[in-house]
Amino acid sequence: AELRPSLHTALAAAPAGIFAAAVRCVLRRLQRREPAAGDRDHLAAFCRQMAERSAAESAARPSAHAEPRGRFHDLAEIFARVNAAHFQGQIQVRAIGWTRGAARRRLAYCRPETGEIRVSRLLDRPDVPGWFLEYLVYHEALHFLLPPPSRRLRSQWHHRQFRAMEQAFPHYDAALRFKESLPRLLSKPPRRKP
């Protein structure tokens, strides 16, 4: 039986030493032998470097345009109010908008590296109060002001200083209570405001 191994295209542009290490690793595996430690380590370091570069390029690329104006709420207006009232207009975003789909797990998220904030389209309803959306936008805007010391641990996104500033939001306690009621609210059709 003829064997035709293939290598990732990133290896085609790799330095000759890395490419040779990859070939030696494959050949040793075919012989059912452990690759040489030096080859394995060089190849692993190259793969990590490529993964980090790919992640950085992906993070720097803005996602598709999202419309800030919903049927019931305008996120651009909400951001402008929050930015003026809490950040003296200092927070700069390139885009704020609703998610494309009905995001249930994350009500809102941001990408400071691309200057974006997204809010779940599920919240564009007349029975979701504007102050709750202001809280979500405030929370995401805080990430622009207080970036984590390291992005590797989720807990570092919400460090002590971040939590203290988040709790300074005027409707913080009410927002947490409303957030707890959301699963029940979102399971029903929207109620019209009187």
Side-chain angles (χ1 to χ4, degrees):
E2 185 176 312
L3 180 66
R4 292 185 180 182
S6 64
L7 298 173
H8 192 278
T9 54
L11 285 170
I18 297 296
F19 185 82
V23 170
R24 285 192 299 271
C25 285
V26 169
L27 291 175
R28 292 203 43 118
R29 288 285 183 196
L30 290 173
Q31 297 168 348
R32 299 188 190 283
R33 294 169 47 199
E34 192 66 28
D39 286 342
R40 187 182 59 232
D41 293 346
H42 287 340
L43 190 55
F46 176 75
C47 290
R48 274 192 306 276
Q49 180 184 16
M50 293 303 294
E52 289 169 3
R53 183 180 304 156
S54 175
E57 288 171 359
S58 174
R61 192 178 320 118
S63 57
H65 174 72
E67 184 62 39
R69 186 182 304 263
R71 194 162 163 219
F72 300 100
H73 299 283
D74 186 330
L75 294 174
E77 288 177 6
I78 290 171
F79 174 78
R81 280 196 310 270
V82 167
N83 197 15
H86 302 285
F87 303 106
Q88 293 74 46
Q90 297 300 308
I91 304 297
Q92 300 295 313
V93 298
R94 284 180 32 198
I96 182 165
W98 300 100
T99 57
R100 284 179 178 241
R104 289 185 178 275
R105 283 189 44 218
R106 288 197 303 178
L107 298 177
Y109 66 91
C110 68
R111 295 178 69 196
E113 62 277 2
T114 60
E116 298 172 86
I117 294 176
R118 296 287 181 261
V119 177
S120 174
R121 182 166 297 289
L122 287 175
L123 300 177
D124 185 24
R125 312 166 41 121
D127 49 3
V128 171
W131 57 261
F132 181 71
L133 293 171
E134 286 181 11
Y135 161 73
L136 292 177
V137 170
Y138 174 81
H139 174 102
E140 299 309 329
L142 275 177
H143 288 301
F144 287 78
L145 183 67
L146 302 169
S150 167
R151 295 191 58 166
R152 295 183 190 267
L153 297 175
R154 182 161 173 78
S155 63
Q156 289 184 338
W157 274 93
H158 300 115
H159 47 79
R160 183 176 290 139
Q161 183 184 11
F162 181 95
R163 288 291 182 203
M165 287 190 72
E166 179 186 34
Q167 291 170 8
F169 183 76
H171 302 289
Y172 176 75
D173 292 329
L176 293 186
R177 285 191 302 275
F178 186 79
K179 188 176 177 181
E180 287 177 13
S181 73
L182 270 174
R184 188 177 70 249
L185 177 73
L186 295 177
S187 69
K188 300 174 186 172
R191 224 178 47 232
R192 295 262 177 220
K193 288 183 178 177

